[in-house]
Amino acid sequence: MHIPFDNSYAALPQDFYTRINPTSVKSPMLLAFNNDLAKILGIETADVTEQSQIFSGNKIPQGAAPLAQLYAGHQFGNYNPQLGDGRAILLGEVIDTNGLRRDIQLKGSGPTPYSRGGDGRAWVGPVLREYVISEAMHALGIPTTRALAAVATGEDILREQGMLPGAVLTRIASSHLRVGTFQVFAHRNQPEQLQILTDYAIARHYPDAAGPMDLLRAVCRKQADLIAAWMSVGFIHGVMNTDNCSIAGETIDYGPCAFMDDFHMGRVFSSIDRQSRYAYGNQPNMALWNMAQLATALLQLADNKDAALEEATAIIHAMPDQIETAWLARFGAKIGLHAPHPDDTDLIQSLLDLMQAEGADFTNTFRALSGDHARNHFTNRDAFDAWSRNHQARIAAEPDPAATMNAANPAVIPRNHRMEQMITAATAGDMAPFHRLMQAFATPFVDTDPKLARTPAPAETVRATFCGT
Ligand code: AMP
Ligand code: MG
């Protein structure tokens, strides 16, 4: 296999990472491989045995410079001074066929100096969950890390549920720079390292940025767009800790994330999110909070602290409006408006209020708006009809509102109960549900597999997702 490595992180000073190889596994077996993505990355490969050897970590490909990255982060609001890749190893980077630098990282590849007592492993369930959901997010048009490969290790690992089959995910990211990567050097009072990291992040992601405050401004914009995009598909990340907040603005670290079925602003799935910190409707606040932590770290680089503080404050204070604007564009499209106006917020919000009052399915209700079945999603038909009259009046002058809606309202999303079914089957050796989901989620705005659009039966409903990764 030829991987055209072009490594830049490994050239940074040694206190940014620890060089370490993946730990070999007993009998790697390829579960999934993303050929389309491999092509984009310029990876030439056809041999399944070699794929399973390399993407399990058993064989180090030529040109790789394996390392575990250092970072810190606020977890549920509390600062943890040292996290780092506890079970991930960066093999290296490639420049893809679009000219973009991409990280190739193994996740679940064995312990590192940052494992903090963990086993450095992942089990098949969360590995396939991240594989499917990250690829679905990509197809939904939402910035995200991607999945290149999933390999079963042939080794069982111990989790709360008992012994479970291990697996390694190969994840592709624009980078693995996180807010927490900045925090670790800021908290350790290492301004030289912080400066090097800032220069690196600017060169890699925001070459037009003139300095730390410009970098902050650019990341805030990306995060504002990202949060609006999540909300537009009913996505709840679940662990928006600063170590899971990407500088490149991609969705990263799929843990107890979930797409909601019935709509509620306060929806939470993660069993460890007891305060509802990362509830669906609180995600804009949390993105802001994370950006304030990035601002705090970057302020250490300022020569004129007062001026920089003023600038950073203005940047952070601009974010709610940016999120609102991005939200309006996304949700406006969902009701058929190609150029929504702030006045349209009430129309969107009143639909969401109706949906929340009735527990209407988020995805299917929006999808039905382009036809004439949406009222079937409500028991209070009068209330919906009244809304619909206003809606019809508003979209009357739109060129093709149905097309706008169908391009913004997916027919299928990775529903939690389908994820569970897929994981149960895969654990028993049946990958057919995985392939079915991957096929449907490749074109989520086309209704190719209507059964996958169905809401869960009461007995299938997943109420909590677990970190038990
Ligand atoms: P997360 O919030 O899931 O992204 O993980 C938070 C931190 O815990 C990161 O530093 C991970 O590398 C680490 N971690 C999670 N699971 C394990 C594991 N099984 N072994 C070692 N470290 C882990
Ligand atoms: Mg993480």
Side-chain angles (χ1 to χ4, degrees), residues 71 75 83-88 107 111 114-122 159 178 239 241 243-244 253 255 467 469:
Y71 53 86
Q75 299 178 303
L83 292 165
D85 290 333
R87 53 156 168 180
K107 185 171 172 183
Y114 313 116
S115 296
R116 297 174 295 139
D119 61 3
R121 294 294 182 191
R159 290 293 180 267
R178 308 143 189 274
V239 242
N241 293 333
D243 54 306
N244 295 335
D253 275 7
C467 233
T469 54

Side-chain angles (χ1 to χ4, degrees), residues 192-460:
E192 290 96 40
Q193 277 79 353
L194 191 60
Q195 185 67 56
I196 291 167
L197 179 66
T198 301
D199 293 344
Y200 179 83
I202 289 174
R204 185 159 175 180
H205 297 300
Y206 306 102
D208 295 337
M213 288 302 118
D214 258 10
L215 172 65
L216 176 65
R217 192 176 286 111
V219 179
C220 284
R221 286 229 177 81
K222 289 266 187 183
Q223 285 289 329
D225 287 344
L226 182 65
I227 299 309
W230 286 355
M231 295 187 78
S232 76
V233 294
F235 179 78
I236 302 159
H237 183 285
V239 242
M240 291 173 65
N241 293 333
T242 57
D243 54 306
N244 295 335
C245 180
S246 152
I247 295 299
E250 291 178 337
T251 313
I252 192 167
D253 275 7
Y254 291 83
C257 65
F259 284 79
M260 66 179 147
D261 297 305
D262 52 312
F263 178 72
H264 198 290
M265 283 298 281
R267 183 74 71 233
V268 174
F269 285 96
S270 170
S271 59
I272 55 169
D273 191 2
R274 298 209 174 79
Q275 313 284 323
S276 298
R277 180 180 171 90
Y278 300 131
Y280 172 79
N282 207 29
Q283 296 183 117
N285 292 333
M286 289 300 107
L288 201 81
W289 197 90
N290 287 346
M291 289 303 97
Q293 306 318 310
L294 178 62
T296 305
L298 288 172
L299 279 173
Q300 285 208 358
L301 294 175
D303 298 326
N304 182 339
K305 297 270 187 238
D306 289 343
L309 180 60
E310 201 172 310
E311 192 176 2
T313 306
I315 293 168
I316 299 296
H317 284 175
M319 226 183 138
D321 274 352
Q322 289 167 355
I323 298 175
E324 188 69 29
T325 303
W327 182 94
L328 183 62
R330 292 268 181 182
F331 277 81
K334 289 177 80 67
I335 65 165
L337 306 174
H338 78 282
H341 189 268
D343 290 348
D344 295 316
T345 304
D346 284 352
L347 186 63
I348 299 164
Q349 192 56 53
S350 56
L351 176 62
L352 292 174
D353 291 345
L354 279 180
M355 288 169 60
Q356 175 158 323
E358 300 218 12
D361 184 79
F362 182 78
T363 304
N364 292 354
T365 306
F366 274 108
R367 183 71 180 182
L369 283 182
S370 62
D372 49 14
H373 299 303
R375 71 195 300 270
N376 297 348
H377 290 269
F378 298 88
T379 46
N380 185 347
R381 303 263 158 98
D382 292 343
F384 177 77
D385 290 343
W387 180 85
S388 186
R389 278 190 295 277
N390 291 334
H391 179 228
Q392 291 302 327
R394 175 63 184 89
I395 63 175
E398 285 286 323
D400 192 350
T404 304
M405 285 188 251
N406 286 339
N409 296 322
V412 283
I413 45 128
R415 291 186 187 269
N416 300 316
H417 67 296
R418 292 292 183 181
M419 294 297 107
E420 296 295 308
Q421 290 165 5
M422 176 274 291
I423 290 167
T424 304
T427 308
D430 175 12
M431 292 297 286
F434 169 88
H435 292 296
R436 178 182 174 191
L437 292 173
M438 288 303 292
Q439 185 162 6
F441 298 151
T443 54
F445 296 100
V446 186
D447 210 350
T448 48
D449 193 342
K451 279 190 186 158
L452 291 182
R454 284 189 195 157
T455 58
E460 293 174 325

Side-chain angles (χ1 to χ4, degrees), residues 26-57:
K26 204 161 85 192
S27 47
M29 193 189 79
L30 192 72
L31 295 173
F33 189 76
N34 191 337
N35 282 300
D36 293 343
L37 182 56
K39 279 201 196 85
I40 294 170
L41 298 172
I43 298 177
E44 287 158 29
T45 166
D47 184 339
V48 169
T49 307
E50 196 184 29
Q51 288 168 357
S52 62
Q53 287 294 328
I54 287 178
F55 298 115
S56 63

